[in-house]
Amino acid sequence: MRNLFLLLCCSWLVQGCSSSKIVSAWGSDAYSPQHQKIVVFAVVKAEDSALQQRMEQHVVGDLLALGYKAYSSKQLYGGQLKNLGAMQVYQQLQTDSVDAVMTIVLLDKQKEQVYIEEKSQQQSRAGDFEKYYEDMNKRTSSAGYYTHLTTYFWEGKLYNLGAKELVYSSRTESFNPASVERLGHEYGKQIVNNMVKKGVLVKKSPHVKPI
């Protein structure tokens, strides 16, 4: 279990010290981005409402930095859309001149308890058998501790409301982020950059700097 923990940590270090990585992504080759107003919806369980707000805010910040008019659904609508059907939500978005919707869905959140062994920082005195044996006993009898690792599995999609079509889809994993703030920041930056790479977003004159 400890080896698995180290392996996962190393893999994320190779990714550039980010807790999030995009594992798959698709963008429509036939689509020419013309969005003007984008609303971001994060879909999570009620217990993760704070996470919903931070995820939306960070993605919105990165879209604003590209030059789009972007809004958090929580900021724009609060709970107004909660009890509406899909057609009613679509009509409300059209009324508000929204031409694209970005959805961020938390597909799963897995928690794992891992035991970490505390190792002595002292170098073993291998030249003397008795001292070396004593050092090894100290190492193997050292107390360890338990820690909890959390992995988030996300699905991100961008819809062109005018044509009622999906133009971008991605799957992202976030491994044990340091905070909700860090999670939102890293996810927003990676997903928006990837949408630019896929050609479904373009860089324009920025409205504000990203969060």
Side-chain angles (χ1 to χ4, degrees):
M1 185 64 70
R2 181 172 178 270
N3 290 336
L4 174 61
F5 168 73
L6 292 175
L7 179 62
L8 289 171
C9 287
C10 289
S11 68
W12 259 267
L13 286 172
V14 171
Q15 294 289 332
C17 299
S18 172
S19 66
S20 295
K21 67 172 183 178
I22 297 173
V23 295
S24 66
W26 167 86
S28 174
D29 295 330
Y31 180 68
S32 178
Q34 298 176 350
H35 321 301
Q36 296 299 323
K37 186 175 181 180
I38 304 174
V39 175
V40 179
F41 288 83
V43 182
V44 301
K45 292 182 178 180
E47 63 197 56
D48 292 314
S49 58
L51 178 59
Q52 174 194 6
Q53 183 176 359
R54 299 315 294 157
M55 296 297 285
E56 289 187 0
Q57 287 178 344
H58 278 283
V59 173
V60 165
D62 288 298
L63 290 171
L64 289 171
L66 279 183
Y68 290 95
K69 294 179 181 178
Y71 302 86
S72 158
S73 70
K74 197 172 184 65
Q75 172 194 15
L76 195 60
Y77 297 111
Q80 294 179 21
L81 306 180
K82 186 176 181 180
N83 297 317
L84 299 182
M87 181 54 67
Q88 291 173 302
V89 171
Y90 176 74
Q91 290 172 347
Q92 181 63 60
L93 292 170
Q94 280 197 315
T95 298
D96 295 335
S97 301
V98 176
D99 51 24
V101 166
M102 173 74 187
T103 60
I104 309 165
V105 181
L106 181 57
L107 298 175
D108 194 13
K109 181 173 70 172
Q110 297 180 0
K111 291 186 177 181
E112 181 181 14
Q113 187 180 56
V114 179
Y115 181 76
I116 306 298
E117 297 177 2
E118 288 187 346
K119 296 297 185 180
S120 171
Q121 298 299 315
Q122 180 183 0
Q123 292 292 327
S124 61
R125 297 165 289 184
D128 185 310
F129 174 75
E130 291 183 3
K131 292 179 179 179
Y132 172 75
Y133 187 80
E134 180 182 347
D135 290 342
M136 291 303 98
N137 277 334
K138 286 180 180 179
R139 287 191 181 187
T140 56
S141 62
S142 297
Y145 62 94
Y146 285 95
T147 188
H148 289 87
L149 307 178
T150 304
T151 304
Y152 298 83
F153 299 87
W154 300 97
E155 181 178 70
K157 294 189 176 184
L158 182 67
Y159 292 91
N160 175 5
L161 287 191
K164 294 185 179 181
E165 64 178 354
L166 175 69
V167 297
Y168 175 84
S169 179
S170 66
R171 291 288 180 96
T172 304
E173 295 178 6
S174 302
F175 174 71
N176 209 43
S179 65
V180 169
E181 191 73 26
R182 178 71 179 271
L183 172 57
H185 171 72
E186 292 180 347
Y187 180 88
K189 184 176 181 180
Q190 287 193 14
I191 209 72
V192 170
N193 285 343
N194 190 256
M195 285 192 284
V196 172
K197 181 179 178 181
K198 294 293 183 182
V200 297
L201 293 178
V202 294
K203 187 173 178 59
K204 303 192 284 188
S205 299
H207 289 287
V208 297
K209 292 182 178 180
I211 299 174

